[in-house]
Structures are given as structure tokens and as C-alpha cells.
Amino acid sequence: MIRRTLVVPLLLALGACASTPTSSLGAFAERSANNSFEPFDRGVEPPDTLVLPVSHDQQTSMAACGAHVMSSVINYWEGEGTVTGHALFEATPPADTRAGYSMAELMTLARAHGLTTSAVRLTDADIIRELEAGRPVLVPVRVPSIFIQPWQLPGANVPVLGLPAAVVTSRVGAIAEFTGATLVNHYVLIVGYEDETFVAVEPVMGFRTIAFERLDRYREPFGNAALVFSGSRPRPASGAAGQTAPTG
């Protein structure tokens, strides 16, 4: 069992190819199943989906996920192009560059850019209420590394043909969860939902769907911790793959 656990990820790496992030809301609306964390029921269906108009700022270095997810938060509240994750990381790197940013450091970054922020513990229902009020929610997760690699199996996002690749990726992720190997701490920004599926902006691969149950597992090591924000400027008009969020 140990030998198999070590060999499968290596084989996947050898057979993988560069993947394409879903960085825009328009691209996500067109193909919401791309890059999903799920092997089945990967997509959501407009106009039944609420997704806030958050921009993706792509992570390119290991310790910088917090800076890039905060760039998405700041640009949502303060206006597109206010800051980049690269600039945040260069100006204010984490105290521990191997471990990355703590939640306290992210709160400091948010306040330095004029946002009010609170560290809270949120259930799925609480997150939905924040989203419906027009507030994306930042959550720490412990996730199998295969889900946040900048590569994927060939054809992974091809309708129908991509299903075997999605199943294999999910199986490798399940092995990682079971063994505790190749799990990494990460941040994602929850920006929408439909039924039992959340929409997340994940720093490496952009807009992605993830089932409530899976996100709950990934959040559990952090006790359902979350960061919520508000800004001095009016929120941008909310829209997305479908519904418009309330403005009040």
C-alpha cells in the first residue's frame, strides 16, 4: 500500500500536461466544470448560480497563495487593478516564507488597504448568508496537493472524455487524505454557490466548483475558520454566472 501511494502521483506527474486556469467569470460561465475539485457533477447551471464578480490573481510561487487571494479580495472591494498578489508578496512577505501567510498577517494586509476584517467560524449556511450579502469569504483549507498543481492529466477538461482523468485525480486525492501524505495548507476565496456546490476562486487555477461536503473536510483542520471583509467604497455590482446578489 505504501509503495502504491508513492508511485501513483509520480506516474501522474510524468503523464501530465500544463493546465489552463479559469481566470475570468465569463470563461467560468461558459465551462463551469473546468478544473473542478469533483469527479462528478462538476458544473453549475446559470441562471441558478450566484457568483460574485471577483477577479482571479494567479499564484506563481509556493508561499504566495495568501497574497494572491488577498489581491482578489482587495480588488473586489477597492476596484479592479488596485493591487496585485506579486506586489503584495514583494512588499509584505510572510514572516515564515516556507509556511506562507498566517490569517493574522492576511488581516493586517486587508486593514492596510482600508478594509474592515474579522476572523470568525462559519458553517456552510453562514457562508451562504455572507455571499447573498455580497461578501466573498476567505477560508484556510488543508488540501491534497494534486488539486493545486499547475498541471493536469491530458484531456481533463474535455466533456465526457475528461471523466477518467477527473476520477483518477479524485482517487489520488482520497489516498492523500487517508494517508495524510502530500497535504498542503492553502487559502481559497468562496465567491458563489448553487444547491450543494460552492464556487471558489483558488489562487492557482481560478474559478472552480467544490461540493459542500468536500470543502467541509478540507476546512475541518482549521475549525471552520474564515475571514470576512467589508470596504469603505460601495461594493461592485454583483452578477455572474447567473443571479445578482442583493445590494443591501
Side-chain angles (χ1 to χ4, degrees):
M1 177 64 73
I2 294 175
R3 181 178 301 170
R4 186 175 181 182
T5 300
L6 294 175
V7 170
V8 170
L10 176 59
L11 292 177
L12 288 176
L14 292 175
C17 60
S19 57
T20 303
T22 305
S23 291
S24 74
L25 198 50
F28 177 73
E30 184 176 339
R31 286 290 307 280
S32 63
N34 280 10
N35 305 320
S36 177
F37 285 89
E38 304 304 326
F40 307 103
D41 300 321
R42 295 179 287 174
V44 290
E45 294 294 334
D48 299 321
T49 312
L50 183 152
V51 187
L52 302 177
V54 174
S55 62
H56 171 225
D57 187 292
Q58 189 176 16
Q59 177 185 349
T60 55
S61 62
M62 285 294 292
C65 71
H68 289 278
V69 79
M70 278 308 307
S71 171
S72 293
V73 171
I74 293 166
N75 289 335
Y76 174 78
W77 286 104
E78 298 300 307
E80 189 65 33
T82 298
V83 72
T84 66
H86 178 74
L88 285 176
F89 187 73
E90 288 293 311
T92 316
D96 186 338
T97 54
R98 290 191 301 175
Y101 291 88
S102 68
M103 291 183 71
E105 287 175 315
L106 296 188
M107 294 175 74
T108 298
L109 283 177
R111 289 165 179 157
H113 286 82
L115 302 184
T116 300
T117 180
S118 300
V120 292
R121 298 191 188 279
L122 299 182
T123 65
D124 293 342
D126 296 329
I127 292 175
I128 288 171
R129 281 192 287 271
E130 292 294 321
L131 295 173
E132 291 182 341
R135 294 186 289 268
V137 177
L138 190 156
V139 297
V141 291
R142 188 156 176 80
V143 61
S145 62
I146 191 170
F147 284 115
I148 57 170
Q149 299 290 343
W151 49 259
Q152 62 189 10
L153 293 179
N157 285 326
V158 177
V160 182
L161 296 178
L163 181 58
V167 171
V168 170
T169 299
S170 184
R171 291 282 181 85
V172 174
I175 291 171
E177 288 188 69
F178 179 76
T179 63
T182 67
L183 294 177
V184 295
N185 296 337
H186 198 47
Y187 289 110
V188 298
L189 190 65
I190 308 303
V191 301
Y193 79 99
E194 176 191 314
D195 297 329
E196 298 295 310
T197 300
F198 281 121
V199 178
V201 170
E202 185 272 305
V204 176
M205 295 304 300
F207 287 86
R208 309 177 71 171
T209 58
I210 183 169
F212 284 16
E213 187 273 337
R214 183 185 297 271
L215 184 65
D216 290 345
R217 295 201 315 268
Y218 293 170
R219 294 182 64 211
E220 186 176 4
F222 300 96
N224 290 341
L227 295 180
V228 294
F229 308 89
S230 60
S232 57
R233 297 177 61 178
R235 290 194 301 273
S238 299
Q243 287 183 355
T244 300
T247 56

